[in-house]
Amino acid sequence: MPILEVNNINTYYGGIQALKGISIDVTQGEIVTLIGSNGAGKSTTLKSISGLAKVKSGSIKFKKQDITNKPPHETTLLGVAHVPEGRRIFSNLTVKENLLMGAFSVKKKNIIEERMEMAFNYFPILKERLDQKGGTMSGGEQQMLAIGRALMMKPELLMLDEPSMGLAPIIVEKIFEIINQLNQDGMTILLVEQNAYQALSIANRGYVIQNGEIVLSGKGYDLIENEEIREAYLA
Ligand code: ATP
């Protein structure tokens, strides 16, 4: 049963139509990836789901509940976490403060501590750097902090926008390993990536977006084998 159902959404920036009837679904326990070139509409799809971009028509359901155009803090509270492109951690806050911001609605101290331990479990480096300012960490560490912060709400759907962007290959490997681990531990993941090969390698299914439309979809391993995909995105 799909946990997320995006049905025929159209999203505009002023007069520019960024999404033209996008429909995707994500089943509980899956990793689903959206691939496509720059400006195709991948980020806008995630923003439309989390409420950062306004959908003009179509609908979005999360766990059967209509979340179309719900504001980001509400979708977060319902269990949708969005780690945006470029990480967007709070540079002037420490690692600990960043993590606490992630748990903004949680009042109980023991639950906050439990969640922090869970984040440290995936990213031990965060525990070592608790008092370091976010902005002074490396790109890879900032990405880890951004994902760790999202985990503080114990989301049911984790949406990651280009987690590998600008990172050295060895760090990219590490990030993908952790995404895989999170999924094996039960997390449902919607992953936007330009690194199509790596994304499709860990994904159950993928959608290819071009100019705001889905042009192809299928199982991760089938898309890797697909000749058109190979030429356009895996060359
Ligand atoms: P990228 O990897 O470059 O972010 P993308 O596939 O995520 O690519 P989007 O960022 O979703 O693409 O952009 C889709 C379209 O919407 C593009 O034509 C882009 O120029 C346009 N767009 C995105 N954000 C804005 C904005 N804030 N204002 C106006 N147009 C925008």
Side-chain angles (χ1 to χ4, degrees):
M1 206 187 23
I3 186 170
L4 177 74
E5 299 163 86
V6 174
N7 186 25
N8 199 19
I9 57 167
N10 293 287
T11 301
Y12 291 73
Y13 295 106
I16 300 166
Q17 185 169 11
L19 302 186
K20 302 167 186 162
I22 293 276
S23 296
I24 62 170
D25 57 75
V26 180
T27 297
Q28 185 132 27
E30 277 191 311
I31 298 183
V32 171
T33 186
L34 306 180
I35 60 172
S37 35
N38 267 341
K42 306 179 299 295
S43 299
T44 305
T45 303
L46 297 195
K47 286 180 188 165
S48 300
I49 296 166
S50 66
L52 284 168
K54 194 171 178 300
V55 170
K56 191 166 183 190
S57 63
S59 72
I60 303 170
K61 284 186 185 163
F62 180 65
K63 298 202 300 179
K64 300 276 167 222
Q65 186 178 347
D66 190 352
I67 60 161
T68 321
N69 290 327
K70 276 204 188 298
H73 68 273
E74 280 186 38
T75 56
T76 306
L77 287 174
L78 289 169
V80 179
H82 183 182
V83 181
E85 191 175 345
R87 323 213 246 250
R88 309 273 167 82
I89 55 147
F90 300 101
S91 308
N92 291 324
L93 299 186
T94 64
V95 167
K96 185 174 182 184
E97 288 163 342
N98 267 280
L99 291 173
L100 290 175
M101 294 290 266
F104 67 91
S105 69
V106 184
K107 297 281 172 283
K108 288 199 171 129
K109 224 176 148 205
N110 60 327
I111 294 183
I112 293 178
E113 276 166 14
E114 207 177 281
R115 302 236 177 121
M116 267 201 197
E117 283 306 320
M118 182 183 65
F120 299 153
N121 192 23
Y122 292 102
F123 306 109
I125 188 94
L126 299 182
K127 193 169 188 170
E128 292 164 28
R129 304 288 177 83
L130 266 186
D131 298 321
Q132 190 173 330
K133 288 257 190 326
T136 65
M137 310 233 290
S138 71
E141 289 161 357
Q142 290 189 22
Q143 184 62 63
M144 292 176 191
L145 177 55
I147 300 174
R149 186 177 61 187
L151 294 179
M152 292 297 287
M153 283 302 273
K154 210 162 184 239
E156 288 180 65
L157 173 67
L158 180 61
M159 303 199 296
L160 302 172
D161 196 344
E162 307 243 6
S164 76
M165 194 171 66
L167 304 181
I170 187 162
I171 311 294
V172 173
E173 279 303 323
K174 181 91 199 135
I175 297 281
F176 273 90
E177 261 172 42
I178 293 165
I179 294 171
N180 217 358
Q181 187 60 50
L182 277 162
N183 177 250
Q184 279 172 20
D185 295 341
M187 184 67 75
T188 308
I189 294 169
L190 181 55
L191 172 66
V192 160
E193 261 301 333
Q194 286 216 26
N195 196 331
Y197 182 78
Q198 247 162 333
L200 290 172
S201 305
I202 62 164
N204 300 90
R205 292 185 299 116
Y207 293 89
V208 182
I209 304 193
Q210 230 173 55
N211 295 321
E213 292 179 88
I214 307 274
V215 292
L216 202 62
S217 64
K219 295 213 156 79
Y221 52 77
D222 285 338
L223 292 177
I224 288 183
E225 297 299 326
N226 182 296
E227 212 42 56
E228 279 172 64
I229 305 275
R230 290 185 96 90
E231 271 174 32
Y233 305 109
L234 306 176

